[in-house]
Amino acid sequence: MSTIWQSLELLVTKGLPTTVLLTLGLLGAGLALGFPIAFLQVYGYRPFRWLCRGYEQLFRGIPALVLILIFHSGLARSFGILLPAFTSALIALGLRSSAYQSQIFRGAIQSVPQGQMMAARALGMSKLQAIRSIILPQALRLSIPPWTNEFSSVLKDTSLASAIGVLELTKQGTLIFTRIQFVKGVNYILVILILVALVYLVLTYMGNAGLALLERRLRIPGFEMKGKVER
Amino acid sequence: MNEQHPSRSDGAILRVEGLHKSYGDNHVLRGVSMQMRRGETVVVIGPSGTGKSTLLRCINQLSVPDRGRVWLGDREITCKKQNINCLRAEIGFVFQNFNLFTHLTALANVRIGPMKVKGLKKAAATELAMDELARVGLSDKADAYPAELSGGQQQRVSIARALAMSPQLMLFDEPTSALDPELIGEVLDVMVSLAKEGMTMLVVSHEMGFARSVSDSIIFMEGGVILEQGPPEEFFTAPKEERTRVFLSKITELYGE
């Protein structure tokens, strides 16, 4: 029993922080890039739209693991640029997430009715003012539900960073079981993996609970689904 | 900016000259010219698809006309050098579908224009917005969101939102067409009192009662041009054009007197 507790302690103290940090970094980078990309795709001049579309297609079309390997081993072997594993994972998965997030925000922006922009412009607001004060607050609210999806997959995709040696939850898990299987036997592999899985599960649950709370806090009459069919 | 005003005249607040607008192959406006004096209420009627709404949108440049010019007072709205946002701030626009900002309360809807466009402080803008809400009889709904209001109430808020900018001219694009019959009255009442207070109003509407009793002039549009314009007495009793007569009889059949 004490082995399990020790393993869990090791996972939480020496794996979890990196996973959380990487997740937050990815979500932040994805948000910082994804949002402007979405706006350029909807409101930008044509060349910008094409550029953003190309970007989004590219990074949604490559497997996350391949991207990670490109930004780590690929850069190192071909150009001699050896990035720290964490940085490589952050860039690779961040680009991927920004492409996905841009499509979440694009969908949300486009679901704000055209009349909202028209009414704002008719009042004398500039396009930028209208986007900031009218379109953005509505689009953000509409983005939360699909964004919880992206949060969940980004969190779990951080485990791919273990492939290049980032010491996050999954990597820590494998380290633990390779070490103790000689002492305690191979049965512990499953136990440790279940522990790792549980930590991801709890993280995902807590994150989604937080986002659901945010969604409720920002809820406004007229934004919830209406017309409930009772039978 | 406009050194010369070839046909500037007699204190017209709005002048429209030779407007043309096409959407693809659809030539909607085919040379519309008109003018309005300060304080006038002009009602535009005509069959659907004849460019009435397009005319309003071309006036405040929500649609950019292909040809023709529009002046607000002595400033040319169609002049590319003019700051369109400043000019639009002086022209109120009321939409058929209200287009209230869904994420803002009634108060915030009315307040946001003066704050963002005119730079008013929140306290001053709130006071102004409450006055405008009182003017349309909705002080008690200040904290309600659009989804919590009836169509008539939403349209009154949207009128208050336009009024809060102290416009020189108000454009109404079929303001009662999306409303249930029993809600039309409350919106028309607001418009009637506005007209009486001397607001300059250009109204696209099929409310013949309103046109007859409130307007100074009625414009009949068909096929992208103004076929006939005149004061309501004349217009309703002795229309000059055969097509006006046909339209009026159809309208009376549909809506009654």
Side-chain angles (χ1 to χ4, degrees):
Chain A
M1 200 63 205
S2 72
T3 317
I4 293 178
W5 280 118
Q6 278 166 7
S7 306
L8 188 60
E9 196 190 336
L10 210 54
L11 285 174
V12 169
T13 55
K14 295 271 169 62
L16 179 66
T18 308
T19 292
V20 170
L21 201 66
L22 189 54
T23 303
L24 291 178
L26 292 175
L27 290 174
L31 198 72
L33 279 172
F35 221 82
I37 289 171
F39 271 96
L40 282 176
Q41 263 193 316
V42 180
Y43 295 112
Y45 292 111
R46 205 154 287 175
F48 287 118
R49 269 187 272 167
W50 288 337
L51 210 66
C52 292
R53 193 173 152 70
Y55 175 91
E56 159 253 304
Q57 295 279 322
L58 180 69
F59 287 108
R60 289 203 306 164
I62 303 175
L65 185 56
V66 175
L67 274 176
I68 290 176
L69 292 173
I70 287 175
F71 278 93
H72 196 61
S73 325
L75 284 186
R77 294 290 162 86
S78 300
F79 298 102
I81 308 168
L82 181 60
L83 295 174
F86 185 88
T87 312
S88 299
L90 187 66
I91 294 173
L93 294 175
L95 291 173
R96 191 217 66 106
S97 182
S98 70
Y100 277 88
Q101 290 194 41
S102 73
Q103 296 315 292
I104 292 175
F105 296 129
R106 186 172 66 91
I109 294 164
Q110 284 175 335
S111 8
V112 177
Q114 294 233 305
Q116 299 285 307
M117 174 59 97
M118 240 190 314
R121 296 306 303 276
L123 276 178
M125 287 190 206
S126 67
K127 198 168 179 178
L128 211 62
Q129 273 179 326
I131 289 175
R132 204 171 45 213
S133 324
I134 306 301
I135 308 297
L136 203 73
Q138 299 189 40
L140 276 176
R141 283 186 171 80
L142 295 168
S143 321
I144 299 175
W147 202 79
T148 61
N149 256 346
E150 179 59 11
F151 162 76
S152 306
S153 51
V154 160
L155 169 62
K156 286 169 298 182
D157 281 358
T158 57
S159 66
L160 293 169
S162 65
I164 54 170
V166 177
L167 191 59
E168 39 66 71
L169 264 174
T170 308
K171 184 72 186 171
Q172 187 61 256
T174 58
L175 286 183
I176 294 172
F177 71 61
T178 43
R179 203 177 323 129
I180 64 175
Q181 65 180 335
F182 300 108
V183 190
K184 303 277 181 179
V186 285
N187 286 345
Y188 269 90
I189 292 182
L190 183 60
V191 175
I192 302 296
L193 283 174
I194 288 172
L195 280 183
V196 170
L198 275 177
V199 178
Y200 280 113
L201 202 67
V202 169
L203 271 184
T204 312
Y205 177 79
M206 288 192 332
N208 277 311
L211 286 168
L213 189 71
L214 183 70
E215 196 182 333
R216 271 202 303 281
R217 287 283 296 275
L218 294 176
R219 181 166 291 167
I220 276 173
F223 270 84
E224 73 275 12
M225 294 302 271
K226 272 188 292 192
K228 192 167 101 188
V229 175
E230 302 213 323
R231 185 160 177 230
Chain B
M1 226 162 270
N2 306 299
E3 312 77 19
Q4 54 191 29
H5 308 279
S7 39
R8 173 184 171 188
S9 58
D10 38 285
I13 183 78
L14 176 71
R15 295 183 43 76
V16 174
E17 266 186 22
L19 276 195
H20 282 262
K21 177 71 182 176
S22 299
Y23 294 105
D25 290 339
N26 188 8
H27 198 166
V28 184
L29 293 183
R30 298 164 180 261
V32 173
S33 302
M34 58 161 295
Q35 52 178 302
M36 287 178 73
R37 286 188 308 274
R38 198 176 288 278
E40 246 185 345
T41 297
V42 173
V43 173
V44 183
I45 62 172
S48 68
T50 48
K52 305 180 301 279
S53 298
T54 307
L55 171 63
L56 292 197
R57 275 153 206 250
C58 281
I59 287 174
N60 82 342
Q61 305 283 294
L62 283 177
S63 295
V64 180
D66 303 328
R67 246 189 307 153
R69 305 166 85 176
V70 181
W71 284 268
L72 181 69
D74 54 9
R75 286 167 299 166
E76 187 187 341
I77 303 178
T78 36
C79 172
K80 292 274 182 276
K81 287 181 218 151
Q82 288 279 5
N83 181 339
I84 188 60
N85 298 324
C86 295
L87 285 165
R88 282 205 189 111
E90 296 179 33
I91 304 175
F93 201 105
V94 175
F95 296 87
Q96 182 176 351
N97 303 317
F98 334 131
N99 288 339
L100 286 181
F101 303 130
T102 332
H103 63 302
L104 299 176
T105 61
L107 174 64
N109 260 283
V110 181
R111 183 171 61 189
I112 196 163
M115 278 172 70
K116 298 289 172 194
V117 179
K118 291 187 165 177
L120 249 66
K121 289 273 182 298
K122 192 170 184 177
T126 304
E127 201 176 320
L128 172 69
M130 285 308 293
D131 287 348
E132 296 302 347
L133 281 176
R135 199 162 160 190
V136 298
L138 286 173
S139 304
D140 55 328
K141 295 291 182 187
D143 294 324
Y145 284 95
E148 299 169 321
L149 299 171
S150 73
Q153 289 169 335
Q154 287 189 56
Q155 192 58 297
R156 282 147 71 198
V157 173
S158 95
I159 294 174
R161 174 174 69 178
L163 287 174
M165 298 298 290
S166 328
Q168 300 205 41
L169 166 69
M170 290 272 282
L171 307 174
F172 291 82
D173 188 7
E174 305 209 27
T176 56
S177 300
L179 296 176
D180 288 337
E182 79 269 24
L183 300 178
I184 290 176
E186 58 186 82
V187 173
L188 287 181
D189 286 347
V190 170
M191 291 169 62
V192 170
S193 66
L194 271 182
K196 289 198 176 126
E197 287 166 29
M199 176 60 73
T200 316
M201 296 161 57
L202 181 57
V203 184
V204 171
S205 177
H206 289 137
E207 293 299 327
M208 291 302 139
F210 177 82
R212 193 186 290 261
S213 59
V214 182
S215 74
D216 300 290
S217 174
I218 295 184
I219 287 176
F220 177 68
M221 274 182 78
E222 193 178 296
V225 293
I226 293 178
L227 271 189
E228 185 167 354
Q229 174 167 17
E233 325 64 81
E234 218 174 90
F235 188 88
F236 283 109
T237 50
K240 294 190 203 85
E241 297 284 332
E242 174 58 25
R243 278 192 283 178
T244 315
R245 259 193 293 275
V246 173
F247 179 77
L248 283 178
S249 69
K250 271 192 201 151
I251 278 282
T252 356
E253 247 172 63
L254 271 175
Y255 295 88
E257 273 299 304

